[in-house]
Amino acid sequence: MLKAFLRQKAFGVSRISTTLKFAPFLPHSLFPSSLKFCSTSTSDQHSFAVSYLIHNCGFSPESALKASKRVRFKTSQKPDSVLNFFRNHGFSDSVIYNIIKREPWLLSCDTNTRILPKFRFLLSKGASTSDIVLIVTRNPRFLQLSFENCIIPAYNLVNRFLLSDEKTIASLIHCPSLLYRNFSALNIKLLVDYGVASSMIFRILRNSPHVIGSSDLVKTMQELTNLGFDPSKSYFGIALIAKRSVNKSQWNEKIDTFKRWGWSEETILEAFRRQPNCMLTSNDKINRVMQFWVNQLGWSSSYLVKGPGIFGYSLENRVIPRALVIHYLLSKGLISSSASLVTPFIMSEKLFLKRFVEYFGKEETSQLLKLYQRKMKDEDKRVQREP
């Protein structure tokens, strides 16, 4: 029986329960030593991990104690090799420590089988070392995903719409969560099923990939449909981007800002339907445009409901110079006061000059051109002087 106990001891902690059955028949000195063997082994490993995390990765004692439950190493060989792996692939120490704090399990992983294939794959698609650093830094959970079952299928799915490795890599840098295959696939399928055009899915993936990473995308799409947006039209995608880019409190703040300038809930909704991007404008920009339009020009804010895209234009380089021209023409009676005040602001530069500057007599054209160009130059100089 003593030999059986010694064999159990050799097998370690996993079989100590069997030994306990025979404890009353064993020499008293053997049983305590076995317990000491088990607890010391676990305790030593745990305390070493805590110490390593504190002294080598900048963890606080509290966070090190918590993170030590997610790592398995008894010596510094494995974690040292992981840190060196990241250093050799362009990661600075500060970035490495930040990643490890978010994903401490990395210190126990086999970098050659778990991480290196993912890096090589991205490099083969044209990603630079700095691109990979950005992707990992922004979402290190990407390193936990299966290379074969998640990374490759998700990449191919995004690339199918973007039709370019360069654009796909750019979208992944902006939103690494696109690499979560199931999540991305479900949301892209949702867009397709709703009738959103491939060209708009391309636009979303290219410019606002975070929309595809939304956890409750279907709720927003249903809300927009109820507001009268047609999923097959481009404005549906623009509205979707706007709704997913502004959180609820920010959205309500913008509504309150518009209301302070005389807009009602109905007019705000009308403006949103006409140009969803108006809700991406900052509160400061809304106030500055309204202040110039209402207080300086003396025009009603209600005109802007018909052309809310004005909020997205540069106030200094577009809105103010064109407004001065229109104001001059109105004062001279050269255009009707019943004409749309927003039309001149949304047309191209070439068409604006043709219709509102060069259309009139030589003398008026010269005066208008001077007024317009002088204001443009004044604003350019002001912008250059600003720090």
Side-chain angles (χ1 to χ4, degrees), residues 204-218:
I204 293 172
L205 285 168
R206 184 74 179 93
N207 301 320
S208 304
H210 64 276
V211 171
I212 304 298
S214 303
S215 59
D216 55 350
L217 188 61
V218 64

Side-chain angles (χ1 to χ4, degrees), residues 310-322:
I310 291 176
F311 291 102
Y313 297 137
S314 168
L315 183 63
E316 292 77 14
N317 295 326
R318 185 172 185 133
V319 178
I320 293 177
R322 293 192 184 191

Side-chain angles (χ1 to χ4, degrees), residues 1 71 107 195 274 328:
M1 191 173 294
V71 298
L107 290 176
R274 286 177 176 271
Y328 175 88

Side-chain angles (χ1 to χ4, degrees), residues 76-356:
S76 64
Q77 182 178 356
K78 171 60 72 174
D80 281 351
S81 69
V82 172
L83 297 180
N84 287 330
F85 172 87
F86 281 107
R87 290 182 183 119
N88 293 335
H89 285 83
F91 292 76
S92 66
D93 282 352
S94 60
V95 170
I96 294 171
Y97 300 151
N98 181 53
I99 292 170
I100 295 300
K101 285 177 181 178
R102 295 168 66 182
E103 303 291 336
W105 62 270
L106 286 167
L107 290 176
S108 302
C109 80
D110 184 339
T111 53
N112 288 328
T113 59
R114 194 75 181 273
I115 304 176
L116 187 58
K118 298 167 186 175
F119 285 9
R120 286 177 173 169
F121 175 76
L122 293 175
L123 288 170
S124 72
K125 298 300 181 180
S128 65
T129 299
S130 58
D131 291 337
I132 294 175
V133 171
L134 281 174
I135 292 172
V136 176
T137 302
R138 290 175 179 175
N139 199 336
R141 190 185 166 196
F142 143 72
L143 299 174
Q144 203 169 14
L145 303 175
S146 166
F147 177 57
E148 297 289 342
N149 298 327
C150 287
I151 303 299
I152 294 178
Y155 183 94
N156 290 337
L157 176 64
V158 174
N159 188 258
R160 187 181 117 201
F161 286 93
L162 294 181
L163 304 175
S164 161
D165 286 324
E166 182 181 359
K167 291 183 176 67
T168 302
I169 292 297
S171 292
L172 293 180
I173 292 172
H174 187 65
C175 184
S177 61
L178 288 175
L179 289 171
Y180 298 104
R181 181 197 175 195
N182 292 337
F183 206 58
S184 299
L186 286 174
N187 280 340
I188 290 176
K189 184 178 185 299
L190 180 64
L191 292 171
V192 172
D193 290 345
Y194 257 72
V196 178
S198 295
S199 58
M200 181 47 66
I201 297 176
F202 168 90
R203 180 172 177 176
I204 293 172
L205 285 168
R206 184 74 179 93
N207 301 320
S208 304
H210 64 276
V211 171
I212 304 298
S214 303
S215 59
D216 55 350
L217 188 61
V218 64
K219 180 180 178 181
T220 305
M221 296 179 72
Q222 290 172 344
E223 180 183 350
L224 293 176
T225 302
N226 293 336
L227 289 175
F229 284 93
D230 183 348
S232 66
K233 306 299 183 183
S234 62
Y235 268 25
F236 181 88
I238 299 172
L240 188 62
I241 293 171
K243 287 290 288 182
R244 297 307 311 182
S245 300
V246 181
N247 62 43
K248 187 175 181 180
S249 63
Q250 292 172 331
W251 189 272
N252 291 333
E253 286 175 6
K254 293 177 193 295
I255 289 177
D256 290 340
T257 300
F258 280 122
K259 284 183 175 180
R260 284 195 291 271
W261 289 99
W263 286 19
S264 64
E265 292 273 359
E266 291 73 20
T267 55
I268 295 172
L269 181 57
E270 181 185 348
F272 179 60
R273 285 198 189 102
R274 286 177 176 271
Q275 181 48 266
N277 277 341
C278 69
M279 294 303 287
L280 292 175
T281 307
S282 68
N283 290 320
D284 177 66
K285 178 69 175 296
I286 294 171
N287 282 321
R288 288 193 297 120
V289 171
M290 287 291 199
Q291 193 278 334
F292 174 73
W293 189 272
V294 176
N295 296 342
Q296 291 187 239
L297 295 176
W299 297 343
S300 172
S301 66
S302 62
Y303 287 118
L304 291 171
V305 177
K306 305 296 183 182
I310 291 176
F311 291 102
Y313 297 137
S314 168
L315 183 63
E316 292 77 14
N317 295 326
R318 185 172 185 133
V319 178
I320 293 177
R322 293 192 184 191
L324 294 179
V325 169
I326 300 304
H327 194 272
Y328 175 88
L329 293 173
L330 286 169
S331 68
K332 295 291 184 177
L334 296 172
I335 59 173
S336 172
S337 59
S338 62
S340 172
L341 286 178
V342 298
T343 301
F345 298 91
I346 61 179
M347 59 180 52
S348 67
E349 177 79 359
K350 182 178 180 180
L351 190 56
F352 175 79
L353 290 172
K354 181 179 179 180
R355 289 190 180 181
F356 296 98

Side-chain angles (χ1 to χ4, degrees), residues 357-370:
V357 176
E358 300 168 352
Y359 177 79
F360 304 95
K362 189 174 182 180
E363 184 177 340
E364 293 294 349
T365 295
S366 177
Q367 178 66 22
L368 287 167
L369 201 55
K370 287 179 182 179

